[in-house]
Amino acid sequence: MRKGICKYIVWQFVLIFSVTRVFAQSDVTTFKADVTRTSHNVLLVKDATAEGHFYFQRPDKICMIFNDRKDMLLMNGTTYVMVEKGKKQVAKGKMQELFGVLQKVLQAVICQTALPDMTEHSDIQVSRQGQVIQIVPTLDAKARKRMPFTSFELTLDARTHKLKTLRINEKGENYVVYNLSGYVQNGSLDSAVFNVN
């Protein structure tokens, strides 16, 4: 009886190890998707929507583009840039750190590898429940007041485990949701999409 249990445990361990190796050796080099952005502002009667594109290039380039590049969210190495109505803003300090965590989580989701260890970021909590991953900065009241975002929330497709939505929660009840569809994995990609003029 004990031999049977031991064999079962060893077999389970080998299976888990094999699956982990498959995910760790992800073959995703590029990823593209269509994106619908929905911006909710409590002061406005109607939500604003825009159609755009999501791009990923291994190892660490991620970009979402809307309105002929007048609106962008770019993560390129350790540089994080937001462009709104043509106005560019580079993330610094805690914002840079928060976007760095989001970037690593997005990389893991796109490449379908394990979520990265975030112990070095003691004031940013990453948690997962089922198909939902949350990134929440746990800052003091003064630091929180300076942050334009309160949390990020990623939802994965239950069947394919691909990124389905990214929600950026802002102060108050405002938020922006990015819905992804039309995935193309390992297709040709012009690296110029990651440039900000």
Side-chain angles (χ1 to χ4, degrees), residues 147-177:
M147 294 285 279
F149 310 121
T150 58
S151 65
F152 298 136
E153 190 174 286
L154 295 82
T155 306
L156 312 186
D157 183 278
R159 186 177 57 83
T160 64
H161 304 290
K162 284 187 167 71
L163 180 63
K164 190 175 178 183
T165 65
L166 167 62
R167 176 175 167 138
I168 300 178
N169 295 308
E170 300 173 347
K171 290 179 182 176
E173 295 178 23
N174 298 340
Y175 60 82
V176 181
V177 176

Side-chain angles (χ1 to χ4, degrees), residues 8-194:
Y8 176 76
I9 290 169
V10 169
W11 180 81
Q12 289 291 326
F13 177 76
V14 169
L15 181 65
I16 290 165
F17 180 73
S18 300
V19 169
T20 306
R21 276 190 72 194
V22 168
F23 282 140
Q25 296 172 350
S26 171
D27 61 353
V28 177
T29 55
T30 64
F31 179 89
K32 294 189 286 187
D34 299 323
V35 187
T36 301
R37 183 187 66 189
T38 304
S39 304
H40 175 76
N41 188 315
V42 291
L43 299 176
L44 302 176
V45 176
K46 195 175 179 183
D47 291 346
T49 60
E51 301 298 322
H53 301 284
F54 180 103
Y55 301 99
F56 166 79
Q57 187 176 49
R58 204 169 183 168
D60 55 9
K61 293 183 179 183
I62 299 169
C63 188
M64 283 192 281
I65 299 173
F66 304 89
N67 301 322
D68 293 324
R69 303 180 71 85
K70 289 186 181 78
D71 297 321
M72 292 177 67
L73 175 59
L74 172 69
M75 304 175 192
N76 190 343
T78 57
T79 301
Y80 310 103
V81 180
M82 294 184 73
V83 180
E84 192 172 351
K85 295 178 181 175
K87 199 172 180 181
K88 185 169 79 170
Q89 183 179 358
V90 180
K92 294 177 183 174
K94 284 294 171 194
M95 275 300 301
Q96 184 178 18
E97 189 179 350
L98 183 60
F99 272 111
V101 171
L102 174 62
Q103 178 188 38
K104 286 176 183 171
V105 171
L106 282 169
Q107 284 172 239
V109 169
I110 293 164
C111 295
Q112 297 195 343
T113 57
L115 287 177
D117 179 19
M118 292 297 172
T119 49
E120 65 188 83
H121 303 284
S122 57
D123 52 3
I124 300 174
Q125 183 181 358
V126 178
S127 61
R128 177 170 184 170
Q129 282 193 328
Q131 302 303 317
V132 178
I133 301 168
Q134 284 194 319
I135 303 169
V136 182
T138 54
L139 307 170
D140 59 48
K142 189 178 178 183
R144 202 180 300 122
K145 200 176 274 188
R146 291 196 299 266
M147 294 285 279
F149 310 121
T150 58
S151 65
F152 298 136
E153 190 174 286
L154 295 82
T155 306
L156 312 186
D157 183 278
R159 186 177 57 83
T160 64
H161 304 290
K162 284 187 167 71
L163 180 63
K164 190 175 178 183
T165 65
L166 167 62
R167 176 175 167 138
I168 300 178
N169 295 308
E170 300 173 347
K171 290 179 182 176
E173 295 178 23
N174 298 340
Y175 60 82
V176 181
V177 176
Y178 302 92
N179 288 284
L180 280 71
S181 62
Y183 309 100
V184 177
Q185 196 167 288
N186 294 337
S188 60
L189 183 60
D190 184 355
S191 59
V193 297
F194 301 104

